[in-house]
Amino acid sequence: ILYHWRVIRGSVAYGGGEKPYAHERAREALREHFERTGKRAAVTKTVDDLHRVQYALPKPEPKVSLILVAEDAADGTIRANEFLRRTNYSNLEIILVTTNSSYSGPVIDSIKTIVNSDVCGAEAFNLGAAQSDGDVLCFADIDLLPRSDDWLAELVSFAIQDGIGAVGAKVLSDNDTVSGGGLIMGLDGIAGVAHKRFTGNSPGNMVRNRLVGNYSAVSVLCMAVRRNLFNEFEGFDSGNLPNSFFDADLCLRLGEKGFRIVFTPYAELAQNSVEKRSNPTASEREYFHKRWHGIIAHDPFYNPNLSKKDPSFSIDI
């Protein structure tokens, strides 16, 4: 033990509610910081009297390309339309990459369908990005359903900030536990989802499951990135990582150049079906480990005293 602090009534060591004014003063300090730096942002109270920053979107809103991949065009169109119905973002196009053209229903202007039977995984997302023209690219699993209609505005508000490379949403499985979001390098040997199997409203480790924060990477289950950065970094590595780890790889390449990777729980989506998992091949695991062995061994956003055997944030003993 390196530090002791007496626990007495009236001290924040006893509880955060002992000096509630201190939290509001902290928020005021953040507001003054944004004012000095010319950022339009609201700072409000959130869980446990902690803080939430909401960046204002410019007018007009930057155009967003939501890129979805589906095996079946008919089912994919239905699900893409559900995204439209549950999203209040006005300047939006949907790029649907599908393996067949069986859809014969009404044409939806905001949905552009690309048929290519030879692509999947990273290559399919890259193809969708190449055929889009949004300022911000948002990659999402076709089986997701947004929990609130401002989910995309939340992602975009972070993605357009200078210094931020990619931003990820909180994704919940069909039993309301975390299945996608921040990624921890070295978890399960290579990379794993932070707070996986925690309930969606659980605070998690140091309330990180309920707060905006930085990770080394975020999941492509729902990830947004500026187009210019995606192009500059040549998109997902479909050559070495065609099916797995390509999301983490892009984030780590962005982080390598000084861009921050952000997780926001205020963009929350739920999986509409049982979680699909693409198992990495031996060559993918070998390449990813060789390329990123340093950060796999020492993730700067994960306490080295915590276990990497599971996502429970238990102490490694």
Side-chain angles (χ1 to χ4, degrees):
I1 297 174
L2 302 180
Y3 183 74
H4 286 275
W5 192 0
R6 288 179 302 154
V7 178
I8 59 175
R9 291 307 302 255
S11 167
V12 292
Y14 188 87
E18 293 298 298
K19 294 181 179 178
Y21 61 87
H23 301 287
E24 184 53 36
R25 286 181 180 175
R27 286 188 280 272
E28 188 57 34
L30 289 171
R31 294 181 191 113
E32 291 173 0
H33 163 75
F34 288 123
E35 185 176 352
R36 283 194 306 270
T37 55
K39 295 284 188 182
R40 294 173 55 235
V43 182
T44 56
K45 174 181 175 180
T46 187
V47 59
D48 287 353
D49 214 2
L50 294 171
H51 324 311
R52 177 186 179 185
V53 173
Q54 292 173 278
Y55 292 104
L57 288 172
K59 298 297 182 184
E61 295 172 343
K63 185 173 184 178
V64 176
S65 299
L66 175 59
I67 299 168
L68 307 171
V69 179
E71 293 181 3
D72 179 76
D75 182 62
T77 301
I78 292 170
R79 294 182 181 275
N81 192 45
E82 195 64 21
F83 267 99
L84 279 176
R85 194 176 69 82
R86 294 170 179 254
T87 304
N88 66 3
Y89 198 89
S90 59
N91 197 5
L92 172 66
E93 68 170 4
I94 293 182
I95 308 297
L96 177 62
V97 182
T98 182
T99 56
N100 66 63
S101 57
S102 63
Y103 181 68
S104 59
V107 174
I108 302 171
D109 291 338
S110 299
I111 300 176
K112 177 181 180 181
T113 301
I114 302 167
V115 179
N116 192 316
S117 60
D118 298 325
V119 298
C120 61
E123 191 176 359
F125 281 131
N126 285 342
L127 175 62
Q131 296 293 320
S132 69
D133 59 8
D135 304 300
V136 176
L137 307 175
C138 182
F139 305 94
D141 189 281
I142 191 72
D143 289 329
L144 297 183
L145 290 174
R147 286 286 185 91
S148 62
D149 60 9
D150 62 350
W151 69 278
L152 188 55
E154 172 73 8
L155 290 177
V156 174
S157 70
F158 282 96
I160 62 175
Q161 301 302 317
D162 293 336
I164 291 180
V167 55
K170 179 190 284 187
V171 176
L172 303 177
S173 67
D174 57 347
N175 65 356
D176 211 39
T177 59
V178 174
S179 59
L183 299 180
I184 295 171
M185 298 301 105
L187 198 62
D188 295 329
I190 295 284
V193 177
H195 300 108
K196 188 166 186 177
R197 295 187 294 275
F198 281 58
T199 59
N201 61 2
S202 167
N205 174 248
M206 302 297 290
V207 205
R208 292 177 76 193
N209 192 38
R210 300 283 301 276
L211 297 174
V212 175
N214 294 120
Y215 285 87
S216 290
V218 290
S219 169
V220 78
L221 279 174
C222 189
M223 168 200 290
V225 60
R226 297 195 299 279
R227 166 184 294 281
N228 64 327
L229 282 181
F230 190 79
N231 290 342
E232 179 184 341
F233 283 78
E234 299 182 341
F236 296 121
D237 185 352
S238 60
N240 294 300
L241 302 166
N243 299 302
S244 298
F245 303 133
F246 57 84
D247 47 1
D249 173 75
L250 175 61
C251 290
L252 293 175
R253 285 186 280 128
L254 288 164
E256 199 174 40
K257 297 299 182 180
F259 291 98
R260 289 180 289 124
I261 308 302
V262 174
F263 161 75
T264 173
Y266 302 108
E268 188 175 271
L269 303 94
Q271 290 181 307
N272 195 35
S273 60
V274 177
E275 179 183 356
K276 302 187 299 291
R277 179 178 298 178
S278 178
N279 293 321
T281 63
S283 62
E284 286 177 318
R285 295 183 69 89
E286 181 181 1
Y287 173 82
F288 190 84
H289 196 279
K290 181 178 180 180
R291 175 68 174 87
W292 300 111
H293 62 90
I295 200 167
I296 289 171
H298 303 287
D299 187 329
F301 297 100
Y302 189 70
N303 190 313
N305 297 301
L306 298 180
S307 174
K308 289 190 173 181
K309 298 173 184 175
D310 60 63
S312 66
F313 293 88
S314 58
I315 296 176
D316 195 6
I317 56 175

Coordinates of all heavy atoms in Angstrom, one line a residue, residues 187-221:
L187 N -6.3 -9.6 -24.3 CA -7.4 -10.3 -23.7 C -7.6 -11.6 -24.5 O -7.7 -11.5 -25.7 CB -8.6 -9.5 -23.6 CG -9.7 -9.9 -22.6 CD1 -9.2 -9.9 -21.2 CD2 -10.9 -9.0 -22.7
D188 N -7.8 -12.7 -23.9 CA -7.9 -14.0 -24.6 C -6.8 -14.3 -25.5 O -6.9 -14.9 -26.6 CB -9.3 -14.0 -25.4 CG -10.5 -13.9 -24.5 OD1 -10.4 -14.4 -23.3 OD2 -11.5 -13.4 -24.9
G189 N -5.6 -13.8 -25.2 CA -4.4 -14.1 -26.0 C -4.1 -13.0 -27.0 O -3.0 -12.8 -27.4
I190 N -5.1 -12.5 -27.7 CA -4.9 -11.5 -28.8 C -5.7 -10.2 -28.5 O -5.1 -9.1 -28.2 CB -5.4 -12.1 -30.1 CG1 -4.5 -13.3 -30.5 CG2 -5.3 -11.0 -31.2 CD1 -3.2 -12.9 -31.0
A191 N -7.0 -10.2 -28.5 CA -7.8 -9.0 -28.3 C -9.2 -9.5 -27.9 O -9.7 -10.5 -28.4 CB -7.9 -8.2 -29.5
G192 N -9.8 -8.8 -27.0 CA -11.2 -9.1 -26.6 C -12.0 -7.9 -26.2 O -11.4 -6.8 -26.0
V193 N -13.3 -8.0 -26.1 CA -14.2 -6.9 -25.8 C -14.2 -6.6 -24.3 O -14.4 -7.5 -23.5 CB -15.6 -7.3 -26.3 CG1 -16.6 -6.1 -25.9 CG2 -15.7 -7.5 -27.8
A194 N -14.0 -5.3 -24.0 CA -14.0 -4.9 -22.6 C -15.5 -5.1 -22.1 O -16.4 -4.8 -22.8 CB -13.6 -3.4 -22.5
H195 N -15.6 -5.5 -20.8 CA -16.9 -5.7 -20.2 C -17.8 -6.7 -20.9 O -19.0 -6.7 -20.7 CB -17.6 -4.4 -20.0 CG -16.8 -3.4 -19.2 ND1 -16.2 -2.3 -19.8 CD2 -16.5 -3.3 -17.9 CE1 -15.6 -1.6 -18.9 NE2 -15.8 -2.2 -17.7
K196 N -17.2 -7.6 -21.7 CA -18.1 -8.6 -22.3 C -18.8 -9.4 -21.3 O -18.2 -9.8 -20.3 CB -17.2 -9.5 -23.2 CG -18.1 -10.4 -24.1 CD -17.3 -11.0 -25.2 CE -18.2 -11.8 -26.2 NZ -17.5 -12.4 -27.3
R197 N -20.1 -9.6 -21.5 CA -21.0 -10.3 -20.7 C -21.4 -9.6 -19.4 O -22.2 -10.1 -18.7 CB -20.5 -11.7 -20.3 CG -20.3 -12.7 -21.5 CD -20.0 -14.1 -21.1 NE -18.7 -14.2 -20.5 CZ -17.5 -14.3 -21.2 NH1 -17.6 -14.3 -22.5 NH2 -16.4 -14.4 -20.6
F198 N -20.9 -8.3 -19.3 CA -21.5 -7.5 -18.2 C -22.8 -7.0 -18.7 O -23.0 -6.8 -20.0 CB -20.6 -6.2 -18.0 CG -19.4 -6.4 -17.2 CD1 -18.4 -7.4 -17.5 CD2 -19.2 -5.7 -16.0 CE1 -17.3 -7.6 -16.7 CE2 -18.1 -5.9 -15.2 CZ -17.1 -6.8 -15.6
T199 N -23.8 -6.7 -17.8 CA -25.0 -6.1 -18.3 C -24.8 -4.7 -18.8 O -23.8 -4.1 -18.4 CB -26.1 -6.1 -17.1 OG1 -25.5 -5.3 -16.1 CG2 -26.4 -7.5 -16.6
G200 N -25.7 -4.3 -19.7 CA -25.5 -3.0 -20.3 C -25.4 -1.8 -19.4 O -24.7 -0.9 -19.6
N201 N -26.2 -1.9 -18.3 CA -26.2 -0.8 -17.3 C -25.3 -1.0 -16.1 O -25.3 -0.2 -15.2 CB -27.6 -0.5 -16.8 CG -28.2 -1.7 -16.1 OD1 -27.6 -2.7 -15.9 ND2 -29.5 -1.6 -15.7
S202 N -24.4 -2.0 -16.2 CA -23.4 -2.2 -15.1 C -22.4 -1.1 -15.3 O -21.9 -0.8 -16.4 CB -22.8 -3.6 -15.3 OG -21.6 -3.7 -14.5
P203 N -21.9 -0.6 -14.1 CA -20.8 0.4 -14.2 C -19.5 -0.2 -14.8 O -18.7 0.5 -15.5 CB -20.6 0.9 -12.8 CG -21.2 -0.2 -11.9 CD -22.3 -0.8 -12.7
G204 N -19.2 -1.5 -14.5 CA -18.0 -2.1 -15.0 C -16.8 -1.6 -14.2 O -16.9 -1.0 -13.1
N205 N -15.6 -1.7 -14.8 CA -14.4 -1.3 -14.2 C -14.3 0.2 -14.1 O -14.3 0.9 -15.2 CB -13.2 -1.9 -14.9 CG -11.9 -1.4 -14.4 OD1 -11.2 -0.7 -15.1 ND2 -11.5 -1.8 -13.2
M206 N -14.2 0.8 -12.9 CA -14.1 2.2 -12.8 C -15.2 3.0 -13.6 O -14.9 4.1 -14.1 CB -12.7 2.7 -13.2 CG -11.6 2.0 -12.4 SD -11.6 2.4 -10.6 CE -11.2 4.1 -10.6
V207 N -16.4 2.5 -13.7 CA -17.5 3.1 -14.4 C -17.2 3.2 -15.9 O -17.9 3.9 -16.6 CB -17.9 4.4 -13.8 CG1 -19.4 4.7 -14.1 CG2 -17.7 4.4 -12.3
R208 N -16.2 2.5 -16.4 CA -15.9 2.7 -17.8 C -16.9 2.1 -18.8 O -16.9 2.5 -20.0 CB -14.5 2.0 -18.1 CG -13.4 2.7 -17.4 CD -12.0 2.0 -17.7 NE -11.6 2.2 -19.0 CZ -10.6 1.6 -19.6 NH1 -10.0 0.5 -18.9 NH2 -10.2 1.8 -20.8
N209 N -17.8 1.3 -18.3 CA -18.9 0.7 -19.1 C -20.0 1.7 -19.3 O -20.8 1.6 -20.2 CB -19.4 -0.6 -18.5 CG -20.3 -1.3 -19.5 OD1 -20.0 -1.4 -20.7 ND2 -21.4 -1.9 -19.0
R210 N -20.0 2.8 -18.5 CA -21.1 3.8 -18.6 C -20.6 5.2 -19.0 O -21.3 6.1 -19.1 CB -21.8 3.9 -17.2 CG -22.4 2.6 -16.7 CD -23.7 2.3 -17.4 NE -24.7 3.3 -17.3 CZ -25.5 3.5 -16.2 NH1 -25.4 2.6 -15.2 NH2 -26.4 4.4 -16.1
L211 N -19.2 5.3 -19.3 CA -18.7 6.6 -19.6 C -17.9 6.6 -20.9 O -17.4 5.6 -21.3 CB -17.7 7.0 -18.4 CG -18.2 7.2 -17.0 CD1 -17.1 7.4 -16.1 CD2 -19.2 8.4 -17.0
V212 N -17.8 7.8 -21.5 CA -17.0 8.0 -22.7 C -15.5 7.8 -22.2 O -15.1 8.3 -21.2 CB -17.2 9.4 -23.3 CG1 -16.2 9.6 -24.4 CG2 -18.6 9.5 -23.8
G213 N -14.7 7.1 -23.0 CA -13.3 6.9 -22.6 C -12.5 6.4 -23.8 O -13.0 6.0 -24.9
N214 N -11.2 6.3 -23.6 CA -10.3 5.9 -24.6 C -9.9 4.4 -24.4 O -9.8 3.9 -23.3 CB -9.0 6.7 -24.5 CG -9.2 8.1 -24.9 OD1 -9.0 9.0 -24.1 ND2 -9.7 8.4 -26.1
Y215 N -9.8 3.7 -25.5 CA -9.3 2.3 -25.6 C -8.3 2.3 -26.7 O -8.2 3.2 -27.6 CB -10.4 1.4 -25.9 CG -11.3 1.1 -24.7 CD1 -12.4 1.9 -24.4 CD2 -11.0 0.0 -23.9 CE1 -13.2 1.6 -23.3 CE2 -11.9 -0.3 -22.8 CZ -12.9 0.5 -22.5 OH -13.7 0.3 -21.4
S216 N -7.5 1.2 -26.8 CA -6.6 1.0 -27.9 C -7.3 0.8 -29.2 O -6.8 1.1 -30.3 CB -5.6 -0.1 -27.6 OG -4.7 0.2 -26.6
A217 N -8.5 0.2 -29.1 CA -9.3 -0.1 -30.3 C -10.8 -0.3 -30.0 O -11.1 -0.4 -28.8 CB -8.8 -1.4 -31.0
V218 N -11.6 -0.2 -31.0 CA -13.1 -0.4 -30.8 C -13.5 -1.4 -31.9 O -12.9 -1.6 -32.9 CB -13.9 0.9 -30.9 CG1 -13.6 1.8 -29.7 CG2 -13.6 1.6 -32.2
S219 N -14.7 -2.0 -31.6 CA -15.2 -3.1 -32.5 C -15.9 -2.6 -33.7 O -16.6 -1.6 -33.7 CB -16.2 -4.0 -31.6 OG -16.9 -4.8 -32.5
V220 N -15.7 -3.3 -34.8 CA -16.4 -2.9 -36.1 C -17.9 -3.3 -36.0 O -18.6 -3.0 -37.0 CB -15.7 -3.6 -37.3 CG1 -16.1 -5.1 -37.4 CG2 -16.0 -2.9 -38.6
L221 N -18.3 -3.9 -35.0 CA -19.8 -4.1 -34.8 C -20.5 -2.8 -35.0 O -21.6 -2.7 -35.5 CB -20.1 -4.7 -33.5 CG -20.0 -6.2 -33.3 CD1 -20.2 -6.7 -31.9 CD2 -20.9 -7.0 -34.3

